[in-house]
Amino acid sequence: AQSVAQPEDQVNVAEGNPLTVKCTYSVSGNPYLFWYVQYPNRGLQFLLKYITGDNLVKGSYGFEAEFNKSQTSFHLKKPSALVSDSALYFCAVRDVAGGYNKLIFGAGTRLAVHP
Amino acid sequence: DAMVIQNPRYQVTQFGKPVTLSCSQTLNHNVMYWYQQKSSQAPKLLFHYYDKDFNNEADTPDNFQSRRPNTSFCFLDIRSPGLGDAAMYLCATEPGLAGETQYFGPGTRLLVL
């Protein structure tokens, strides 16, 4: 069965410092991997995805993620954090079993960027 | 240029009083999803439509029903809301091709009194 793990409930980082939000996955075949961000009382906003190709994926708002097949990881990164990046981040993997596309989400990681 | 629209953004209902949440999309996507999200947890898939084909998750309570009268609109009906149904309800759409992105609406926060 497909699964996603986000090992950190919360990540704290100072503004201007690099940030990393971790994600590992388990799939039977090749993964489709996604990162979403959620601000308070809002829906999920798509940040980036990995389907195939270059292992380093660039997304919205300066975020990027690196697909590492040997470590089954897809960590989200940003070189310089902003206070406005503080939000809830979800990693997700695509489950295509049964012919339907179903997103399986991690539990989420709350990012707090301090001034 | 909103793509996935949910109305209302906040809904208050009474225990046991039926309530309907609505979702519309301007993307002409084949697939529409309804998720339930409680207190910053991961969204939980309730059901989805691929065109007119309805797919219910095995653990979705019978209290939750859905309608999709056309491509653009999808409704979530909660027949007899309980206190445990208070949550954020998220609608999402996607084209329906492998590897495509799901796009989420802003959500409707349901409060049950």
Side-chain angles (χ1 to χ4, degrees):
Chain A
Q2 274 80 339
S3 65
V4 178
Q6 293 181 243
E8 301 154 317
D9 291 336
Q10 178 150 334
V11 170
N12 297 298
V13 64
E15 187 175 30
N17 283 1
L19 69 88
T20 298
V21 183
K22 295 179 180 177
C23 172
T24 59
Y25 65 89
S26 175
V27 297
S28 53
N30 292 320
Y32 299 157
L33 294 156
F34 301 79
W35 275 103
Y36 286 86
V37 60
Q38 187 176 31
Y39 296 97
N41 289 312
R42 302 303 301 267
L44 275 65
Q45 284 180 240
F46 169 73
L47 280 178
L48 51 80
K49 68 180 179 183
Y50 173 83
I51 303 298
T52 187
D54 195 346
N55 289 344
L56 184 62
V57 179
K58 294 188 181 297
S60 305
Y61 313 120
F63 284 94
E64 59 188 28
E66 186 166 11
F67 171 65
N68 187 317
K69 188 172 184 177
S70 62
Q71 297 185 3
T72 62
S73 67
F74 190 57
H75 301 332
L76 182 70
K77 300 182 179 184
K78 188 174 182 180
S80 179
L82 300 172
V83 173
S84 58
D85 293 329
S86 299
L88 186 58
Y89 290 80
F90 290 102
C91 181
V93 67
R94 202 71 164 185
D95 176 358
V96 295
Y100 287 106
N101 295 315
K102 189 161 89 170
L103 267 182
I104 296 173
F105 288 92
T109 298
R110 187 166 299 281
L111 174 66
V113 182
H114 305 285
Chain B
D1 55 349
M3 296 183 290
V4 185
I5 303 159
Q6 291 188 245
N7 286 307
R9 293 294 315 280
Y10 298 90
Q11 176 74 57
V12 181
T13 190
Q14 293 178 338
F15 183 94
K17 185 176 181 181
V19 65
T20 294
L21 309 182
S22 72
C23 177
S24 64
Q25 53 133 338
T26 59
L27 299 164
N28 203 34
H29 284 172
N30 290 325
V31 191
M32 295 187 77
Y33 297 84
W34 279 105
Y35 290 88
Q36 180 192 65
Q37 186 184 28
K38 294 187 175 182
S39 59
S40 300
Q41 297 176 17
K44 177 183 181 299
L45 183 62
L46 295 174
F47 25 60
H48 74 277
Y49 279 92
Y50 196 113
D51 286 334
K52 296 182 180 179
D53 292 334
F54 177 72
N55 297 274
N56 201 29
E57 292 300 299
D59 57 353
T60 298
D62 293 339
N63 198 27
F64 291 86
Q65 304 287 320
S66 185
R67 297 171 282 135
R68 190 179 185 186
N70 54 52
T71 300
S72 300
F73 286 87
C74 196
F75 300 97
L76 170 62
D77 300 309
I78 309 177
R79 293 191 295 187
S80 181
L83 298 179
D85 296 328
M88 174 76 90
Y89 289 89
L90 298 168
C91 174
T93 76
E94 69 176 48
L97 301 174
E100 285 293 336
T101 303
Q102 280 188 23
Y103 294 95
F104 285 79
T108 294
R109 183 165 294 283
L110 178 67
L111 180 61
V112 182
L113 301 179

